[in-house]
Amino acid sequence: QVQVTEYGGGSVQTGGSLTLSCVLSGHKIADFCMGWFHQAPGKEREGVASFYAGSGRARYADSVKGRFTISQDNSKNTVYLQAENLNLEDAGTYYCAADLGQCASRLDPYDYTYWGQGTRVTVSS
């Protein structure tokens, strides 16, 4: 059974950095499209980044390009999201998600089957 678990949320000040990690269990992560999603309080869940090891291709939302980096360690079955220069709009809950096969061209939560419980990021000025 595939399970997804996030780690690494916490509190940072604006301009600070944080790295989130997500472990996929029950299957080889290299076979999955892995995505990170962000949900601010009272708002819909939005795609942040995705990565598929088969193609080595990463996709990013425009709002995080140049600030966030998604990477993956297949030996640890783990995908990471390195977030830099955080701003107040980056606060909220970050979810890791997985779907078997290649990533879709869009960062749409409906394209993902397996979800973690989320990890909260707080950004203060």
Side-chain angles (χ1 to χ4, degrees), residues 36-107:
W36 284 99
F37 293 81
H38 169 240
Q39 188 166 20
K43 296 190 176 181
E44 293 185 354
R45 195 170 299 186
E46 297 180 334
V48 175
S50 68
F51 180 81
Y52 178 61
S55 64
R57 181 170 183 172
R59 290 186 171 88
Y60 297 94
D62 288 342
S63 60
V64 305
K65 283 181 181 177
R67 301 190 299 121
F68 289 19
T69 303
I70 188 170
S71 61
Q72 186 163 300
D73 186 338
N74 292 339
S75 68
K76 296 181 179 180
N77 249 35
T78 301
V79 63
Y80 303 93
L81 184 70
Q82 182 177 355
E84 299 180 346
N85 194 19
L86 287 159
N87 57 51
L88 295 176
E89 289 72 33
D90 296 320
T93 302
Y94 284 77
Y95 296 90
C96 180
D99 197 68
L100 190 63
Q102 297 187 49
C103 294
S105 58
R106 58 186 183 179
L107 291 165

